[in-house]
Amino acid sequence: MVRKLYTGPILDVSFDGEICQHAAECVRGMPQVYDTSKRPWINAEYANTPELAEELRQVTRRCPSGALQLHEHEPPT
Ligand code: SF4
């Protein structure tokens, strides 16, 4: 299992390509962060405000396989 970490200003996202089911919930939900045409394909830097970070949380939680995981820098208040 190879889980890669993508660092952002408020929270990080990690991804394990071996368990991704290619359901595309992520790219449909937040294409500014999840864009498979880019390298790296996850741009967690985009979520640089509390509002964008919350959007990123909601979209990332929709990942059905567990391939995407959130890593909060600080526990949400
Ligand atoms: S939502 Fe999860 S399972 Fe679907 S493509 Fe994205 S990472 Fe893969």
Coordinates of all heavy atoms in Angstrom, one line a residue:
M1 N 0.9 -1.2 0.0 CA 0.0 0.0 0.0 C 0.9 1.2 0.0 O 1.8 1.4 0.8 CB -0.9 0.0 1.2 CG -1.8 1.2 1.3 SD -3.0 0.9 2.7 CE -2.4 2.2 3.8
V2 N 0.6 2.1 -0.9 CA 1.4 3.3 -1.0 C 0.5 4.5 -0.9 O -0.3 4.8 -1.8 CB 2.2 3.4 -2.4 CG1 3.0 4.7 -2.4 CG2 3.0 2.2 -2.6
R3 N 0.5 5.2 0.2 CA -0.3 6.3 0.5 C 0.5 7.6 0.3 O 1.6 7.7 1.0 CB -1.0 6.3 1.8 CG -1.9 7.4 2.1 CD -2.8 7.1 3.3 NE -3.9 6.2 3.0 CZ -5.0 6.6 2.4 NH1 -5.2 7.8 2.1 NH2 -6.0 5.7 2.1
K4 N 0.1 8.5 -0.6 CA 0.9 9.7 -0.8 C 0.2 10.9 -0.1 O -1.1 11.0 -0.1 CB 1.0 10.0 -2.3 CG 2.1 9.2 -2.9 CD 2.3 9.6 -4.4 CE 3.0 10.9 -4.5 NZ 3.4 11.2 -5.9
L5 N 0.9 11.8 0.4 CA 0.4 12.9 1.1 C 0.5 14.2 0.3 O 1.6 14.5 -0.3 CB 1.1 13.1 2.5 CG 0.6 14.2 3.4 CD1 -0.8 13.7 4.0 CD2 1.5 14.4 4.6
Y6 N -0.6 15.0 0.2 CA -0.6 16.2 -0.5 C -0.9 17.3 0.5 O -2.0 17.3 1.1 CB -1.7 16.2 -1.6 CG -1.4 15.1 -2.6 CD1 -1.8 13.8 -2.3 CD2 -0.6 15.3 -3.7 CE1 -1.5 12.8 -3.2 CE2 -0.3 14.3 -4.6 CZ -0.8 13.0 -4.4 OH -0.5 12.0 -5.2
T7 N 0.0 18.2 0.7 CA -0.1 19.2 1.8 C -0.8 20.5 1.4 O -0.5 21.0 0.3 CB 1.4 19.5 2.3 OG1 2.1 18.3 2.5 CG2 1.3 20.4 3.5
G8 N -1.7 20.9 2.3 CA -2.3 22.2 2.0 C -2.2 23.1 3.2 O -1.6 22.7 4.3
P9 N -2.7 24.3 3.2 CA -2.4 25.3 4.2 C -3.3 25.0 5.5 O -2.9 25.4 6.6 CB -2.8 26.6 3.6 CG -3.7 26.3 2.5 CD -3.3 24.9 2.0
I10 N -4.4 24.4 5.3 CA -5.3 24.2 6.5 C -5.4 22.7 6.8 O -5.5 22.2 7.9 CB -6.7 24.8 6.2 CG1 -6.6 26.3 6.1 CG2 -7.7 24.4 7.4 CD1 -7.8 27.0 5.7
L11 N -5.5 21.9 5.7 CA -5.5 20.4 5.9 C -4.8 19.8 4.8 O -4.6 20.3 3.7 CB -7.0 19.9 6.1 CG -8.0 20.4 5.0 CD1 -8.1 19.4 3.9 CD2 -9.3 20.5 5.7
D12 N -4.4 18.5 5.0 CA -3.7 17.7 4.0 C -4.6 16.6 3.5 O -5.6 16.3 4.2 CB -2.4 17.1 4.6 CG -1.5 18.1 5.2 OD1 -1.5 19.3 4.8 OD2 -0.7 17.7 6.0
V13 N -4.4 16.2 2.3 CA -5.1 15.0 1.8 C -4.1 13.9 1.4 O -3.1 14.2 0.9 CB -5.9 15.5 0.5 CG1 -6.6 14.3 -0.1 CG2 -6.9 16.6 0.8
S14 N -4.5 12.7 1.8 CA -3.6 11.6 1.3 C -4.5 10.7 0.4 O -5.7 10.6 0.5 CB -3.0 10.8 2.5 OG -4.0 10.1 3.2
F15 N -3.7 10.0 -0.5 CA -4.4 9.2 -1.5 C -3.7 7.8 -1.6 O -2.4 7.8 -1.7 CB -4.3 9.9 -2.8 CG -4.8 9.1 -4.0 CD1 -6.2 8.8 -4.1 CD2 -4.0 8.7 -5.0 CE1 -6.7 8.1 -5.2 CE2 -4.4 8.0 -6.1 CZ -5.8 7.7 -6.2
D16 N -4.4 6.8 -1.7 CA -3.9 5.4 -1.9 C -4.5 4.9 -3.3 O -5.7 4.5 -3.3 CB -4.3 4.5 -0.8 CG -3.7 3.1 -1.0 OD1 -3.3 2.8 -2.1 OD2 -3.7 2.3 0.0
G17 N -3.7 5.0 -4.3 CA -4.2 4.6 -5.6 C -4.6 3.1 -5.8 O -5.3 2.8 -6.7
E18 N -4.1 2.3 -4.9 CA -4.4 0.9 -5.0 C -5.9 0.6 -4.6 O -6.4 -0.4 -5.0 CB -3.5 0.0 -4.1 CG -2.1 0.0 -4.7 CD -1.2 -0.8 -3.9 OE1 -1.6 -1.6 -3.0 OE2 0.1 -0.7 -4.1
I19 N -6.5 1.5 -3.8 CA -7.9 1.2 -3.4 C -8.9 2.1 -4.0 O -10.1 2.0 -3.9 CB -8.0 1.2 -1.9 CG1 -7.6 2.5 -1.2 CG2 -7.3 0.0 -1.3 CD1 -7.9 2.5 0.3
C20 N -8.4 3.1 -4.9 CA -9.3 4.0 -5.6 C -10.2 3.2 -6.5 O -9.8 2.3 -7.2 CB -8.5 5.0 -6.4 SG -9.5 6.0 -7.5
Q21 N -11.5 3.5 -6.5 CA -12.5 2.8 -7.3 C -12.8 3.6 -8.6 O -13.8 3.3 -9.3 CB -13.8 2.5 -6.5 CG -13.5 1.5 -5.4 CD -14.7 1.4 -4.4 OE1 -15.6 2.3 -4.5 NE2 -14.7 0.5 -3.6
H22 N -12.2 4.7 -8.7 CA -12.4 5.6 -9.9 C -13.8 6.0 -10.0 O -14.4 6.1 -11.1 CB -11.9 4.9 -11.2 CG -10.4 4.5 -11.1 ND1 -9.4 5.4 -11.1 CD2 -9.9 3.2 -10.8 CE1 -8.3 4.7 -10.9 NE2 -8.5 3.4 -10.7
A23 N -14.5 6.2 -8.9 CA -15.9 6.7 -8.9 C -16.0 8.2 -9.3 O -17.0 8.6 -9.6 CB -16.5 6.5 -7.5
A24 N -14.8 8.9 -9.3 CA -14.8 10.3 -9.7 C -15.6 11.2 -8.9 O -15.8 12.4 -9.3 CB -15.1 10.4 -11.2
E25 N -16.0 10.8 -7.7 CA -16.6 11.8 -6.8 C -15.8 13.0 -6.5 O -16.2 14.1 -6.4 CB -17.0 11.1 -5.4 CG -18.0 10.1 -5.5 CD -19.4 10.6 -5.7 OE1 -19.6 11.8 -5.4 OE2 -20.3 9.9 -6.0
C26 N -14.5 12.7 -6.4 CA -13.6 13.8 -6.1 C -13.4 14.8 -7.2 O -13.6 16.0 -7.0 CB -12.2 13.2 -5.7 SG -11.5 12.1 -6.9
V27 N -13.2 14.3 -8.4 CA -13.0 15.3 -9.6 C -14.3 16.0 -9.9 O -14.2 17.1 -10.4 CB -12.4 14.6 -10.8 CG1 -11.0 14.1 -10.5 CG2 -13.2 13.4 -11.2
R28 N -15.4 15.3 -9.8 CA -16.7 16.0 -10.0 C -17.0 17.1 -8.9 O -17.5 18.1 -9.2 CB -17.8 15.0 -10.0 CG -18.2 14.5 -11.4 CD -19.6 14.0 -11.4 NE -19.8 12.9 -10.5 CZ -19.6 11.6 -10.8 NH1 -19.2 11.3 -12.0 NH2 -19.8 10.7 -9.9
G29 N -16.6 16.7 -7.7 CA -17.0 17.6 -6.6 C -16.1 18.8 -6.4 O -16.6 19.9 -6.1
M30 N -14.8 18.7 -6.7 CA -13.9 19.9 -6.5 C -12.8 19.8 -7.5 O -11.7 19.5 -7.1 CB -13.4 19.9 -5.1 CG -13.0 21.3 -4.6 SD -12.8 21.4 -2.8 CE -12.4 23.1 -2.6
P31 N -13.1 20.1 -8.8 CA -12.1 20.0 -9.8 C -10.9 20.9 -9.6 O -9.8 20.7 -10.2 CB -12.8 20.3 -11.1 CG -14.1 21.0 -10.7 CD -14.4 20.6 -9.3
Q32 N -11.0 22.0 -8.8 CA -9.9 22.9 -8.6 C -8.8 22.2 -7.7 O -7.7 22.6 -7.8 CB -10.3 24.1 -7.8 CG -11.4 24.9 -8.5 CD -12.8 24.5 -8.0 OE1 -13.0 23.4 -7.5 NE2 -13.8 25.4 -8.1
V33 N -9.2 21.2 -7.0 CA -8.3 20.4 -6.2 C -7.9 19.1 -6.9 O -6.8 18.7 -7.0 CB -8.9 20.1 -4.8 CG1 -8.0 19.2 -4.0 CG2 -9.0 21.4 -4.0
Y34 N -9.0 18.4 -7.3 CA -8.8 17.0 -7.9 C -8.9 17.1 -9.4 O -10.0 17.3 -10.0 CB -9.9 16.1 -7.4 CG -9.8 15.9 -5.9 CD1 -10.8 16.4 -5.0 CD2 -8.7 15.3 -5.3 CE1 -10.7 16.2 -3.7 CE2 -8.6 15.1 -3.9 CZ -9.6 15.6 -3.1 OH -9.6 15.4 -1.7
D35 N -7.7 17.1 -10.1 CA -7.7 17.2 -11.5 C -6.7 16.2 -12.1 O -5.5 16.4 -11.9 CB -7.3 18.6 -11.9 CG -7.3 18.9 -13.4 OD1 -7.3 17.9 -14.2 OD2 -7.3 20.0 -13.8
T36 N -7.2 15.1 -12.7 CA -6.3 14.1 -13.1 C -5.5 14.4 -14.3 O -4.5 13.7 -14.7 CB -7.1 12.8 -13.4 OG1 -8.1 13.1 -14.4 CG2 -7.8 12.2 -12.2
S37 N -5.7 15.6 -14.9 CA -4.9 16.0 -16.0 C -3.6 16.8 -15.5 O -2.7 17.1 -16.3 CB -5.7 16.9 -17.0 OG -5.9 18.2 -16.4
K38 N -3.6 17.0 -14.2 CA -2.4 17.8 -13.7 C -1.5 16.9 -12.9 O -1.9 15.8 -12.4 CB -3.0 18.9 -12.8 CG -3.8 19.9 -13.5 CD -3.5 21.3 -13.0 CE -4.2 22.3 -13.8 NZ -5.4 22.9 -13.2
R39 N -0.3 17.3 -12.7 CA 0.7 16.6 -11.8 C 1.2 17.6 -10.9 O 1.8 18.6 -11.3 CB 1.8 15.9 -12.6 CG 1.3 14.7 -13.5 CD 0.9 13.6 -12.6 NE 0.3 12.5 -13.4 CZ -1.0 12.3 -13.7 NH1 -1.9 13.2 -13.2 NH2 -1.4 11.3 -14.4
P40 N 1.1 17.4 -9.6 CA 0.3 16.3 -8.9 C -1.2 16.5 -9.2 O -1.6 17.7 -9.3 CB 0.7 16.4 -7.5 CG 1.1 17.9 -7.3 CD 1.7 18.3 -8.5
W41 N -1.9 15.5 -9.1 CA -3.3 15.6 -9.5 C -4.2 16.1 -8.3 O -5.3 16.5 -8.5 CB -3.9 14.3 -10.0 CG -4.2 13.2 -9.0 CD1 -3.3 12.4 -8.4 CD2 -5.5 12.9 -8.5 NE1 -4.0 11.6 -7.5 CE2 -5.3 11.9 -7.6 CE3 -6.8 13.4 -8.7 CZ2 -6.4 11.3 -6.9 CZ3 -7.8 12.8 -8.0 CH2 -7.6 11.8 -7.1
I42 N -3.6 16.2 -7.1 CA -4.3 16.7 -6.0 C -3.6 18.0 -5.6 O -2.4 18.0 -5.3 CB -4.3 15.7 -4.8 CG1 -5.1 14.5 -5.2 CG2 -4.9 16.4 -3.6 CD1 -5.1 13.4 -4.1
N43 N -4.3 19.1 -5.6 CA -3.8 20.4 -5.2 C -4.5 20.9 -4.0 O -5.4 21.7 -4.0 CB -4.0 21.4 -6.4 CG -3.5 22.8 -6.0 OD1 -2.7 23.0 -5.1 ND2 -4.0 23.8 -6.7
A44 N -4.0 20.4 -2.8 CA -4.6 20.8 -1.5 C -4.3 22.2 -1.2 O -5.0 22.8 -0.4 CB -4.1 19.9 -0.4
E45 N -3.3 22.8 -1.9 CA -3.0 24.2 -1.6 C -4.2 25.2 -1.9 O -4.3 26.3 -1.4 CB -1.9 24.7 -2.6 CG -0.6 24.0 -2.3 CD 0.2 24.6 -1.2 OE1 -0.1 25.7 -0.8 OE2 1.2 24.0 -0.7
Y46 N -5.1 24.7 -2.8 CA -6.2 25.6 -3.2 C -7.1 25.9 -2.1 O -7.7 27.0 -2.0 CB -7.0 24.8 -4.3 CG -8.2 25.5 -4.8 CD1 -8.1 26.6 -5.7 CD2 -9.5 25.2 -4.3 CE1 -9.3 27.3 -6.1 CE2 -10.6 25.9 -4.7 CZ -10.5 26.9 -5.6 OH -11.7 27.6 -6.0
A47 N -7.2 25.0 -1.1 CA -8.2 25.2 0.0 C -7.5 26.0 1.1 O -7.2 25.5 2.2 CB -8.6 23.8 0.6
N48 N -7.4 27.3 0.8 CA -6.6 28.2 1.6 C -7.5 29.2 2.5 O -7.0 30.1 3.0 CB -5.6 29.0 0.8 CG -6.2 29.8 -0.2 OD1 -7.4 29.9 -0.3 ND2 -5.4 30.5 -1.1
T49 N -8.8 28.9 2.5 CA -9.7 29.7 3.3 C -10.5 28.7 4.1 O -10.7 27.5 3.7 CB -10.6 30.6 2.6 OG1 -11.5 29.8 1.8 CG2 -9.9 31.6 1.6
P50 N -11.1 29.1 5.3 CA -11.9 28.2 6.0 C -13.1 27.6 5.2 O -13.4 26.4 5.3 CB -12.5 29.0 7.2 CG -11.4 30.0 7.4 CD -10.9 30.4 6.0
E51 N -13.6 28.5 4.3 CA -14.8 28.0 3.4 C -14.3 27.0 2.4 O -15.0 25.9 2.2 CB -15.4 29.2 2.7 CG -16.1 30.2 3.6 CD -15.1 31.1 4.4 OE1 -13.9 31.3 4.0 OE2 -15.5 31.7 5.4
L52 N -13.2 27.2 1.8 CA -12.7 26.2 0.8 C -12.2 25.0 1.5 O -12.4 23.8 1.0 CB -11.5 26.8 0.0 CG -11.9 27.9 -1.0 CD1 -10.7 28.6 -1.6 CD2 -12.8 27.3 -2.1
A53 N -11.7 25.1 2.7 CA -11.3 23.9 3.5 C -12.5 23.1 3.8 O -12.5 21.8 3.7 CB -10.5 24.3 4.7
E54 N -13.6 23.7 4.1 CA -14.8 23.0 4.5 C -15.4 22.3 3.2 O -15.8 21.1 3.3 CB -15.9 23.9 5.1 CG -17.1 23.3 5.6 CD -16.9 22.1 6.6 OE1 -15.9 22.1 7.3 OE2 -17.7 21.2 6.6
E55 N -15.3 23.0 2.1 CA -15.8 22.3 0.9 C -14.9 21.1 0.5 O -15.4 20.0 0.2 CB -15.7 23.4 -0.3 CG -16.3 22.9 -1.6 CD -16.2 23.9 -2.7 OE1 -15.9 25.1 -2.4 OE2 -16.3 23.5 -3.9
L56 N -13.6 21.3 0.8 CA -12.7 20.1 0.5 C -13.0 19.0 1.5 O -13.0 17.8 1.0 CB -11.2 20.6 0.7 CG -10.2 19.5 0.5 CD1 -10.3 18.9 -0.9 CD2 -8.8 20.1 0.7
R57 N -13.3 19.3 2.7 CA -13.7 18.2 3.6 C -14.9 17.4 3.1 O -15.0 16.2 3.1 CB -14.1 18.8 5.0 CG -12.9 19.2 5.8 CD -13.4 19.6 7.2 NE -12.2 20.3 7.9 CZ -12.1 21.6 7.9 NH1 -13.1 22.4 7.5 NH2 -11.1 22.2 8.5
Q58 N -16.0 18.2 2.7 CA -17.2 17.6 2.3 C -17.0 16.7 1.1 O -17.5 15.6 1.0 CB -18.3 18.7 2.1 CG -18.7 19.3 3.4 CD -19.8 20.4 3.3 OE1 -20.3 20.5 2.2 NE2 -20.0 21.1 4.3
V59 N -16.3 17.2 0.1 CA -16.1 16.5 -1.1 C -15.2 15.2 -0.8 O -15.5 14.1 -1.3 CB -15.4 17.4 -2.2 CG1 -14.9 16.5 -3.4 CG2 -16.4 18.4 -2.7
T60 N -14.2 15.4 0.0 CA -13.3 14.3 0.2 C -14.0 13.2 1.0 O -13.7 12.0 0.7 CB -12.0 14.8 0.9 OG1 -11.5 15.8 0.2 CG2 -11.0 13.7 1.2
R61 N -14.9 13.5 1.9 CA -15.6 12.5 2.6 C -16.5 11.7 1.7 O -17.0 10.6 2.2 CB -16.4 13.2 3.8 CG -15.6 13.6 4.9 CD -16.4 14.2 6.1 NE -15.6 14.9 7.0 CZ -15.8 16.1 7.4 NH1 -16.8 16.8 7.0 NH2 -15.0 16.7 8.3
R62 N -16.8 12.2 0.6 CA -17.7 11.4 -0.4 C -16.9 10.3 -1.0 O -17.5 9.4 -1.7 CB -18.3 12.3 -1.4 CG -19.5 13.0 -1.0 CD -20.1 13.8 -2.2 NE -20.3 15.2 -1.8 CZ -20.1 16.2 -2.7 NH1 -19.8 16.0 -3.9 NH2 -20.2 17.4 -2.3
C63 N -15.6 10.2 -1.0 CA -14.8 9.2 -1.6 C -15.3 7.8 -1.0 O -15.3 7.6 0.1 CB -13.4 9.4 -1.3 SG -12.3 8.0 -1.8
P64 N -15.9 7.0 -1.9 CA -16.5 5.7 -1.4 C -15.5 4.6 -1.0 O -15.9 3.7 -0.3 CB -17.3 5.3 -2.6 CG -16.6 5.8 -3.8 CD -16.0 7.1 -3.4
S65 N -14.3 4.7 -1.5 CA -13.3 3.6 -1.3 C -12.4 3.8 -0.1 O -11.8 2.9 0.4 CB -12.5 3.5 -2.5 OG -11.6 4.7 -2.6
G66 N -12.4 5.0 0.4 CA -11.4 5.3 1.5 C -10.0 5.6 0.9 O -9.0 5.8 1.6
A67 N -9.9 5.7 -0.4 CA -8.6 6.1 -1.0 C -8.2 7.5 -0.6 O -7.0 7.7 -0.4 CB -8.7 6.0 -2.6
L68 N -9.1 8.4 -0.5 CA -8.8 9.7 0.0 C -9.0 9.8 1.5 O -10.0 9.3 2.0 CB -9.7 10.8 -0.7 CG -9.4 11.0 -2.2 CD1 -10.5 11.9 -2.7 CD2 -8.0 11.5 -2.5
Q69 N -8.1 10.4 2.2 CA -8.3 10.7 3.6 C -7.8 12.1 3.9 O -6.9 12.6 3.3 CB -7.4 9.7 4.4 CG -8.0 8.3 4.5 CD -7.2 7.4 5.3 OE1 -6.3 7.8 6.1 NE2 -7.5 6.1 5.2
L70 N -8.5 12.7 4.9 CA -8.2 14.0 5.4 C -7.3 14.0 6.5 O -7.4 13.1 7.4 CB -9.5 14.7 5.8 CG -10.5 15.0 4.7 CD1 -11.9 15.4 5.3 CD2 -10.0 16.2 3.8
H71 N -6.4 15.0 6.6 CA -5.5 15.1 7.7 C -5.5 16.5 8.2 O -5.0 17.4 7.5 CB -4.1 14.7 7.3 CG -4.0 13.3 6.7 ND1 -3.8 12.2 7.5 CD2 -4.2 12.9 5.4 CE1 -3.8 11.1 6.7 NE2 -4.1 11.5 5.4
E72 N -6.2 16.8 9.3 CA -6.4 18.1 9.8 C -5.1 18.6 10.4 O -4.5 17.8 11.2 CB -7.5 18.2 10.8 CG -8.9 17.8 10.2 CD -9.5 18.9 9.4 OE1 -9.1 20.0 9.4 OE2 -10.5 18.6 8.7
H73 N -4.7 19.8 10.2 CA -3.6 20.4 10.9 C -3.9 20.6 12.4 O -3.1 20.4 13.3 CB -3.1 21.7 10.3 CG -2.5 21.5 8.9 ND1 -1.9 22.5 8.3 CD2 -2.5 20.5 8.1 CE1 -1.4 22.1 7.1 NE2 -1.8 20.8 7.0
E74 N -5.2 21.1 12.6 CA -5.7 21.3 13.9 C -7.1 20.7 14.0 O -7.8 20.8 13.0 CB -5.8 22.8 14.3 CG -4.4 23.4 14.4 CD -4.5 24.9 14.6 OE1 -5.6 25.4 15.1 OE2 -3.5 25.6 14.4
P75 N -7.5 20.2 15.1 CA -8.9 19.6 15.2 C -9.9 20.7 14.9 O -9.7 21.9 15.3 CB -9.0 19.2 16.6 CG -7.6 19.1 17.2 CD -6.8 20.1 16.4
P76 N -10.9 20.5 14.0 CA -11.9 21.5 13.7 C -12.6 21.9 15.0 O -12.9 21.1 15.8 CB -12.9 20.8 12.7 CG -12.2 19.5 12.4 CD -11.2 19.2 13.4
T77 N -12.9 23.2 15.1 CA -13.6 23.7 16.3 C -15.1 23.7 16.1 O -15.6 23.6 15.0 CB -13.2 25.2 16.6 OG1 -13.3 26.0 15.4 CG2 -11.7 25.3 17.1
Ligands
SF4_1 S1 -13.6 9.7 -5.0 FE1 -12.2 8.2 -4.1 S2 -12.5 6.3 -5.2 FE2 -13.5 8.0 -6.4 S3 -11.9 8.6 -7.9 FE3 -11.7 9.9 -6.1 S4 -10.2 8.9 -4.9 FE4 -10.9 7.4 -6.3

